[in-house]
Amino acid sequence: METTEMPGVSLKRGSLAVEDNESPAPGEEVKRQRVSECCLSEDRGQLQSDALRCRENVPLAARAVSAGEAKNHSEAQLEEEEEEEDGLSEEGEEEEEVESFADMMKHGLTELDVGITKFVSSHEGFSGILKERYSDFVVHEIGKDGRISHLDDLSVPVDEEDPSEEVFMVLTAEEKQRLEELQLFKNKETSVAIEVLEDSKEKRTVIHQAVKSLFPGLETKTEEREGKKYIVAYHAAGKKALANPRKHSWPKSRGNYCHFVLYKENKDTMDAINVLSKYLRVKPNIFSYMGTKDKRAITVQEIAVLKITAQRLAHLNKCLMNFKLGNFSYQKNPLKLGELQGNHFTVVLRNITGTDEQVQQAMRSLKEIGFINYYGMQRFGTTAVPTYQVGRAILQNAWTEVMDLILKPRSGAEKGYLVKCREEWAKTRDPAIALKKLPVKRCVEGQLLRGLSKYGMKNIVSAFGIIPRNNRLMYIHSYQSYVWNHMVSKRIEEYGLKPVPGDLVLKGATATYIEEDDVSNYSIHDVVMPLPGFDVIYPKHQISDAYREMLTADHLDIDNMRHKIRDYSLSGAYRKIIVRPQNVGWEVVAYDDPKIPLFNTDVDNLEGKPPPVFASEGKYKALKMDFSLPPSTYATMAIREVLKMDTSIKNQTQLNTTWLR
């Protein structure tokens, strides 16, 4: 095996913004730290403005997206309080951003900035296009039993306890609106009365069932007023009833959790759950999942929800675009973050320039050797202020710098209202005034400004604490990743792709050193490197000094990684330096039309669409890749190894712009 430096590879066009395996794995990054992070994208509040309408049989069409929407993966901590909805139309802003995106991304990061500099293979790189279409990038979750999740069954389990389909039709839109406002305490009404127009016991029963099924937390009773019958809805148990659906309404013989497979396009996992909870009129925290999936892909994963029937969930298939729910079953337990074994990826690289021999050499190397397990560019943000800089300031206890890094104006791709908010902050340093510029208050900037308004400028620690914990930890995890990338590049530069005395390997969950007479018992695939923390050991060779030097240069003490604030104390973790994908397969296909799909999705198969047929010759060639990765590894880094190219948005956008000219 050889290591190679990154050459200056030309790419014709394309944006390599892809979905990665960012879920914590019990056996991959061990110790006490769960590396979970949160999405800090500026359109986090977009789900509040989704003006979705119910439609029958809406097709799931792939959408094009700009290269600037790369997002970090998330396990979001949800706030209990209700906040303003984002009713802002952003179409004009998006057009403006697309036009100037290449210029804005000149200020972004490159792989070199975050320590990504080495390759493991010696093949010559070639160019290809991972197009801005979700159908070229599909992710299937691999469950804890090793089974790959597929959406292949839309049927609903037969259950005599389920109400009739009439439940979903009996209430008018106006009645649903009033009931929702009552359920969410949005007005001063203590009850809502629904007149029974065609009075019969059967009709009243259906209305009772409809209210209780569609609006958890509400109870109903029948009243007679002036000779007319009314169903009166009222609160059963205060605000807590929203998060805890009524116990007595769920059959004891049925598992408390409905598990289902969620197929989605152009939504990350938390945004998808927020949309589902909005339509089901429940709190998002009754959903659970094993791993988060990014926005810019077609993804298929398992979700569990507490005491919501498969019937209600299946009804959403008629209402929502870019979603499909199926493979329903009732289980006793929810899902837990990190329980998955990984993800299976199907990726198409279009218009490849490599010869058949180059492609075969690249893919054989990926299958047999693997790739360097770098943290991908998504980990570090897309603006001129990388997330690792904020993390470093937190660890330094430099809270004024933390505040300034998050709020100050910066170059890069951002929503217009965020730009105005930053400008207002720089001009006035008044958090209340700057906050008024934000229609979306749930973004990190909005949460910090709200905290500063509440606690004052002299208590930045408490103000920063308003931000959900996972968002805050994402910053320091980003700094750990930044250090790890640099150290792994240095380790490979110094010692190559073979184990050496002083390297670390895992025995169970414990890291131990490779001794001189033990080297032949290990391969490079066994070697791990630590993310810095108070509960890890460092290699016994030159790289240990390199860790110390890097942290010392950042004014941090490698021997004291405990922080005054417990949340920000880093225990550390271990991560394999080389990952070898499993279930690797590939095929080079010829095609003429750049817009045609080159493989079927689960929804295509459900709809009975025949798989694409390829000619022996065509105007273009595409490389179709299949591979499985463990949690917390980045598919971008596998694709980088195949193409030998910089996967940063900055580089991709500049190449894309050059090609378009």
Side-chain angles (χ1 to χ4, degrees):
M1 288 188 284
E2 308 176 34
T3 65
T4 56
E5 296 286 347
M6 180 185 297
V9 177
S10 171
L11 185 71
K12 287 189 175 180
R13 69 170 186 179
S15 162
L16 209 93
V18 303
E19 164 78 22
D20 285 305
N21 251 4
E22 189 63 273
S23 303
E28 193 64 30
E29 289 191 16
V30 298
K31 294 289 181 186
R32 299 187 207 112
Q33 171 182 312
R34 171 180 286 169
V35 181
S36 65
E37 59 201 332
C38 161
C39 153
L40 291 191
S41 73
E42 271 64 42
D43 63 346
R44 176 149 176 78
Q46 181 182 351
L47 64 100
Q48 260 71 37
S49 64
D50 282 344
L52 300 175
R53 295 290 181 266
C54 245
R55 303 181 186 183
E56 295 288 335
N57 304 318
V58 178
L60 287 115
R63 304 281 192 265
V65 290
S66 74
E69 294 177 343
K71 294 178 70 174
N72 293 320
H73 299 229
S74 72
E75 176 199 1
Q77 182 173 347
L78 295 158
E79 294 181 76
E80 287 299 316
E81 65 190 53
E82 291 297 319
E83 296 204 23
E84 294 90 339
E85 294 189 355
D86 175 15
L88 184 72
S89 171
E90 295 169 354
E91 291 179 6
E93 280 187 53
E94 286 173 1
E95 288 177 9
E96 182 181 340
E97 285 173 9
V98 170
E99 289 174 1
S100 59
F101 187 76
D103 290 333
M104 290 190 287
M105 287 315 301
K106 289 176 183 175
H107 307 281
L109 295 170
T110 65
E111 289 185 345
L112 183 64
D113 295 326
V114 295
I116 301 172
T117 59
K118 303 291 181 182
F119 294 98
V120 301
S121 58
S122 58
H123 73 272
E124 183 182 346
F126 53 92
S127 70
I129 307 167
L130 185 57
K131 293 194 70 174
E132 302 100 314
R133 52 185 296 150
Y134 312 125
S135 57
D136 280 354
F137 199 92
V138 178
V139 186
H140 290 268
E141 189 173 72
I142 304 173
K144 59 183 176 182
D145 58 357
R147 183 178 52 84
I148 298 175
S149 291
H150 281 280
L151 181 75
D152 53 21
D153 183 4
L154 299 182
S155 64
V156 176
V158 177
D159 194 329
E160 294 179 1
E161 299 281 351
D162 284 336
S164 68
E165 277 293 316
E166 193 179 354
V167 160
F168 299 101
M169 316 295 180
V170 70
L171 298 174
T172 67
E174 182 184 352
E175 288 166 346
K176 287 179 181 178
Q177 179 70 27
R178 289 179 62 206
L179 288 164
E180 181 176 4
E181 289 175 356
L182 174 67
Q183 181 202 37
L184 300 177
F185 297 91
K186 285 189 173 181
N187 56 32
K188 295 180 181 179
E189 283 187 280
T190 57
S191 64
V192 168
I194 300 166
E195 185 179 354
V196 185
L197 297 177
E198 302 169 14
D199 185 26
S200 68
K201 185 176 181 181
E202 291 75 15
K203 184 74 172 184
R204 293 196 302 272
T205 299
V206 169
I207 297 175
H208 282 295
Q209 288 177 337
V211 174
K212 291 177 181 179
S213 297
L214 301 179
F215 301 92
L218 297 184
E219 287 293 352
T220 57
K221 58 185 177 182
T222 302
E223 288 186 1
E224 187 167 338
R225 301 177 182 177
E226 298 178 356
K228 296 179 180 178
K229 289 284 179 64
Y230 290 86
I231 306 298
V232 179
Y234 59 95
H235 274 284
K239 291 189 177 183
K240 290 184 179 179
L242 272 177
N244 301 297
R246 297 173 320 283
K247 293 180 181 178
H248 66 266
S249 65
W250 195 261
K252 291 181 180 179
S253 59
R254 180 198 283 166
N256 279 346
Y257 294 88
C258 184
H259 287 228
F260 62 95
V261 169
L262 172 66
Y263 170 106
K264 64 180 179 62
E265 300 175 0
N266 192 29
K267 286 281 183 192
D268 68 25
T269 300
M270 271 316 306
D271 282 351
I273 284 174
N274 275 297
V275 171
L276 295 179
S277 63
K278 181 178 176 181
Y279 271 79
L280 293 168
R281 300 178 177 88
V282 295
K283 287 288 186 182
N285 57 5
I286 70 171
F287 290 85
S288 58
Y289 47 89
M290 294 183 288
T292 56
K293 305 288 177 280
D294 206 358
K295 176 177 180 178
R296 301 195 58 209
I298 292 174
T299 69
V300 182
Q301 69 181 116
E302 189 173 352
I303 305 286
V305 61
L306 175 64
K307 294 184 178 179
I308 298 292
T309 65
Q311 185 185 33
R312 285 186 67 191
L313 292 167
H315 186 72
L316 295 179
N317 285 333
K318 300 177 181 178
C319 304
L320 298 176
M321 294 179 63
N322 298 342
F323 291 89
K324 276 286 186 196
L325 287 65
N327 297 79
F328 302 103
S329 65
Y330 292 108
Q331 308 287 340
K332 292 181 180 179
N333 299 309
L335 296 169
K336 293 181 180 178
L337 195 71
E339 282 185 331
L340 75 170
Q341 284 193 17
N343 289 299
H344 185 76
F345 298 84
T346 304
V347 180
V348 168
L349 301 173
R350 293 180 183 252
N351 197 16
I352 58 170
T353 61
T355 63
D356 287 349
E357 180 55 35
Q358 280 178 297
V359 171
Q360 295 303 316
Q361 189 180 355
M363 293 306 298
R364 279 197 301 267
S365 175
L366 184 68
K367 181 177 182 178
E368 295 165 9
I369 303 172
F371 61 96
I372 303 172
N373 194 19
Y374 287 123
Y375 287 95
M377 298 303 297
Q378 302 96 307
R379 188 82 162 186
F380 305 105
T382 58
T383 71
V385 180
T387 51
Y388 70 80
Q389 290 184 7
V390 181
R392 180 169 56 202
I394 294 170
L395 295 174
Q396 293 168 343
N397 221 29
W399 291 102
T400 300
E401 185 181 354
V402 171
M403 175 181 70
D404 288 339
L405 285 170
I406 293 174
L407 295 177
K408 72 179 183 180
R410 78 276 312 272
S411 304
E414 287 200 306
K415 297 285 186 186
Y417 54 76
L418 258 178
V419 174
K420 292 174 184 174
C421 170
R422 296 189 192 285
E423 290 171 350
E424 190 65 46
W425 169 253
K427 184 170 66 176
T428 66
R429 303 288 285 188
D430 186 321
I433 294 175
L435 190 61
K436 290 179 181 177
K437 298 289 183 182
L438 285 179
V440 181
K441 303 295 192 286
R442 287 188 178 184
C443 62
V444 168
E445 293 80 4
Q447 290 163 332
L448 179 56
L449 288 168
R450 191 154 51 85
L452 292 169
S453 297
K454 182 175 181 179
Y455 294 107
M457 301 284 283
K458 293 184 179 179
N459 194 353
I460 299 171
V461 174
S462 295
F464 184 70
I466 276 191
I467 298 170
R469 182 174 182 270
N470 288 320
N471 300 45
R472 289 181 275 124
L473 295 185
M474 186 279 300
Y475 288 118
I476 54 177
H477 294 160
S478 176
Y479 177 72
Q480 285 180 302
S481 306
Y482 171 76
V483 172
W484 194 90
N485 279 1
H486 279 88
M487 293 301 98
V488 166
S489 291
K490 195 165 188 64
R491 157 65 181 77
I492 291 173
E493 183 178 328
E494 291 292 334
Y495 301 110
L497 292 170
K498 61 183 186 301
V500 297
D503 273 335
L504 294 169
V505 293
L506 290 177
K507 291 186 177 177
T510 304
T512 61
Y513 295 108
I514 297 179
E515 303 297 341
E516 185 82 48
D517 56 358
D518 217 16
V519 171
S520 61
N521 294 328
Y522 297 101
S523 78
I524 192 65
H525 297 98
D526 299 312
V527 176
V528 299
M529 294 268 286
L531 285 89
F534 61 77
D535 202 17
V536 294
I537 58 176
Y538 295 89
K540 279 185 179 177
H541 47 52
Q542 291 181 35
I543 305 307
S544 180
D545 294 333
Y547 271 97
R548 185 173 296 276
E549 289 166 10
M550 186 170 184
L551 267 69
T552 300
D554 285 340
H555 307 290
L556 296 171
D557 183 357
I558 196 169
D559 299 316
N560 182 18
M561 297 302 289
R562 294 187 187 273
H563 197 278
K564 292 179 181 178
I565 301 168
R566 186 177 178 182
D567 265 358
Y568 311 135
S569 290
L570 294 177
S571 62
Y574 298 101
R575 180 176 175 89
K576 286 192 174 182
I577 68 174
I578 302 291
V579 168
R580 186 161 41 197
Q582 300 299 306
N583 307 312
V584 178
W586 66 92
E587 179 185 11
V588 176
V589 298
Y591 66 102
D592 291 315
D593 184 353
K595 297 179 181 178
I596 63 165
L598 298 183
F599 60 88
N600 273 8
T601 66
D602 285 358
V603 168
D604 291 333
N605 293 333
L606 278 170
E607 293 174 351
K609 290 184 181 178
V613 178
F614 303 109
S616 56
E617 293 186 6
K619 194 184 297 184
Y620 309 107
K621 282 195 307 181
L623 171 59
K624 179 188 171 188
M625 307 164 58
D626 286 278
F627 54 90
S628 299
L629 294 177
S632 195
T633 54
Y634 284 74
T636 35
M637 296 296 100
I639 295 167
R640 168 186 181 270
E641 185 68 42
V642 170
L643 295 179
K644 293 281 186 76
M645 51 178 273
D646 186 331
T647 59
S648 66
I649 296 177
K650 176 177 180 177
N651 185 62
Q652 294 293 309
T653 307
Q654 289 171 351
L655 291 169
N656 197 23
T657 306
T658 302
W659 184 86
L660 289 171
R661 288 173 181 163

